[in-house]
Amino acid sequence: MKTFLLALALLSTLFGAEVVEVGEKYITSQKCKACHLHLVNEWEESWHHKSHYKNDEYFRATIDYISRKTRKSPNSIKIQCAKCHNPRISVTSTDMSYEIDTLMHLQTDPRVDEAVNGENISEGINCVVCHNIDKIHQDKNESVRGMDRVSWIASGTMVGPFDDAFSPYHKTQKRDFMDTKPNTLCFVCHANDRSVSGFVFTNMQEEYGESTQKCVECHMGPRREYVAATLKLDNGKAKKREIRTHKFQGGHVESFVFGALTLTLKEEADDIVLTLFNPNPHNIPSGFGSRELLIEVYYKKGTRVIEKQILSLTRYFTRKGERASVAHLAIKASKDTSVPAKGEKVIKVAKVEKATDMEVKVYYRLVNDEVRSLLKLKDPIWSRKSLVTSASLELQK
Ligand code: HEC
Ligand code: HEC
Ligand code: HEC
Ligand code: HEC
Ligand code: HEC
């Protein structure tokens, strides 16, 4: 009886959210390649695929930083972040005794190590994250996200956009969030991202307001005619379908960022007025962490640059003791300076004597200088400047 109770207590502290194990036949995208190779290849390019401690340097460095500053074990932070980053993890919370065991270098529960190093989460947000969601609980408090906002369908059933799909490898079921209401699916994780102390640093759902534009239209591209599966079941041919690409391109892809904003320049008495317009239904950059827009203003005499000015639109976060911090430990932030959804941002710069021409270039950067140096990020992608838009103007006055 005693051991039974103990086992029960262990279970209840290690498994916060309900875990439904993924069967071996479906556990990685490898298993889908025989029939969905084109979709697997596209998804492998995405940052959903990279959402794992070992595959995304920024994610890893942030976890290590939080672990150092809060003196909690890296595993317990990984499990906290897994709610959205690795929602098929098999252990969903750790308790005080786990922390004490780690701190004292005692033997820790092996299931925690197994869970954070498990094959099923090594692929980040893979096929059986989105396609194994049975229900999305919209009635839950808006702070409840990721795995805590969904319930999983029994392993072996794939939910999708079609109500007449047949596959010999798995069962299929149609869901609205795969068809007419896909934003509900994206908002399971892309909303209400908050710091350890409950400070909401990004909320794409709020930015979106009443917009009904579908995330998938831009991030998976419009529906086009192709096949969903290459298996030849339809009179010896693969069935034609309306499908979407699975690349989930976003801020990490230079060509995707290009054109995200438009820029117009206007001359006033003593100033040049820069108007940045964002036609998209969410902010640019979206409030997430420490993304940045860099505005480079060139004053020219003819074709020669006589002065240069750089403006940065980003957000800074502070943790306890007013110290600079990553968003995830923030208790406070500077004003959100992003260009609002479907809105504009107007910036004035003073004219410079003798300048006859102006050129302005707007770049997007994934991580601002402050956080890049706090985390010592090395990969050039984090400091890369991706061109968003540019404009020039001949001065009259
Ligand atoms: C509510 C769901 C949610 C939780 C919980 C969450 N994240 Fe995220 N995280 C996201 C989403 C969605 C994105 C992508 C947003 C974007 O690119 O703007 C993201 C992106 C990131 C990025 C940027 C990665 C990159 O490649 O640019 C980092 C770093 C990050 N998260 C760290 C963490 C850490 C550390 C934790 C745990 C303390 C955590 N997140 C918990 C939803 C979440
Ligand atoms: C972030 C969520 C997400 C992930 C991860 C994901 N999908 Fe999808 N998938 C969707 C959505 C949404 C649709 C519906 C697209 C539409 O509107 O037609 C879809 C559609 C499909 C379809 C129907 C054909 C099509 O392309 O529209 C198949 C088959 C499919 N996915 C397989 C996969 C496989 C295999 C993987 C893993 C490599 C995967 N998906 C990963 C969200 C996801
Ligand atoms: C042996 C071939 C085969 C394998 C392996 C396979 N599928 Fe499928 N899958 C199919 C076929 C066939 C369809 C139906 C296609 C159609 O009707 O156009 C399908 C349909 C789907 C759909 C759409 C369901 C719907 O109702 O809209 C999803 C999602 C899906 N598969 C996901 C996966 C995932 C994830 C894996 C890997 C774990 C996988 N499949 C492995 C053959 C396969
Ligand atoms: C289970 C949680 C989850 C769901 C559901 C989800 N995402 Fe994500 N998404 C994330 C996380 C976490 C990241 C960041 C991964 C990283 O960079 O390591 C991300 C990254 C992205 C990115 C890349 C952003 C960038 O900065 O390059 C795009 C685009 C994206 N998601 C779109 C979508 C769309 C569209 C949907 C709905 C069809 C969706 N996501 C559903 C969690 C999720
Ligand atoms: C009209 C097209 C469009 C729609 C609709 C759209 N996006 Fe985006 N999204 C973009 C563009 C363009 C960018 C690149 C600029 C950037 O990274 O800020 C982007 C960037 C992102 C990023 C990276 C954010 C950042 O600034 O770091 C994420 C995450 C994302 N989108 C998720 C979503 C989700 C989730 C939805 C639906 C709720 C959605 N998007 C709807 C066009 C769109």
Side-chain angles (χ1 to χ4, degrees), residues 49-73:
H49 174 41
K50 292 203 174 65
S51 175
H52 186 272
Y53 185 78
K54 64 182 196 311
N55 297 334
D56 182 334
E57 185 193 13
Y58 188 13
F59 183 48
R60 176 172 60 245
T62 308
I63 289 175
D64 292 344
Y65 182 86
I66 298 173
S67 165
R68 282 198 307 276
K69 299 296 173 198
T70 60
R71 293 166 203 224
K72 288 218 173 99
S73 66

Side-chain angles (χ1 to χ4, degrees), residues 6 12-13 15 23 40 65 70 75 104 114 123 136 155 194-195 199 206 211 221 259 270 316 335 339 385 390 393 395:
L6 196 75
S12 62
T13 51
F15 302 99
V40 178
Y65 182 86
T70 60
N75 276 355
M104 312 214 15
E114 274 164 34
E123 290 190 324
I136 297 173
S155 183
R194 47 180 61 214
S195 75
F199 175 82
E206 202 174 273
S211 172
D270 300 318
Y316 296 104
K335 218 172 100 227
V339 189
K385 298 189 301 182
S390 61
L393 181 71
L395 302 179

Side-chain angles (χ1 to χ4, degrees), residues 29 32-33 36-44 46 48 123 125-131 159-162 170 177-180 182 185-186 214 216 220-221 223-224 227-229 241-246 248:
S29 59
C32 321
K33 282 186 172 170
H36 303 293
L37 182 66
H38 54 304
L39 300 176
V40 178
N41 284 343
E42 288 164 356
W43 165 84
E44 277 179 346
S46 78
H48 280 149
E123 290 190 324
I125 300 155
N126 72 355
C127 322
V128 289
V129 171
C130 294
H131 291 292
V159 307
F162 311 126
H170 52 73
F177 59 75
M178 283 281 157
D179 183 23
T180 49
L185 171 65
C186 313
K214 294 188 174 108
V216 292
M220 298 179 82
R223 281 187 175 155
R224 65 193 161 94
V227 297
R241 290 286 194 185
E242 294 274 304
I243 70 151
R244 292 190 203 270
T245 38
H246 273 62
F248 300 99

Side-chain angles (χ1 to χ4, degrees), residues 237-254:
K237 288 208 203 95
K239 196 180 179 103
K240 285 224 172 88
R241 290 286 194 185
E242 294 274 304
I243 70 151
R244 292 190 203 270
T245 38
H246 273 62
K247 289 187 186 173
F248 300 99
Q249 292 188 331
H252 294 71
V253 179
E254 279 188 288

Side-chain angles (χ1 to χ4, degrees), residues 162-173:
F162 311 126
D163 51 14
D164 61 342
F166 170 78
S167 160
Y169 192 75
H170 52 73
K171 295 188 189 126
T172 62
Q173 275 189 35

Side-chain angles (χ1 to χ4, degrees), residues 349-360:
V349 293
K351 279 189 188 166
V352 162
E353 215 185 319
K354 295 203 178 106
T356 58
D357 290 84
M358 299 276 299
E359 193 180 354
V360 178

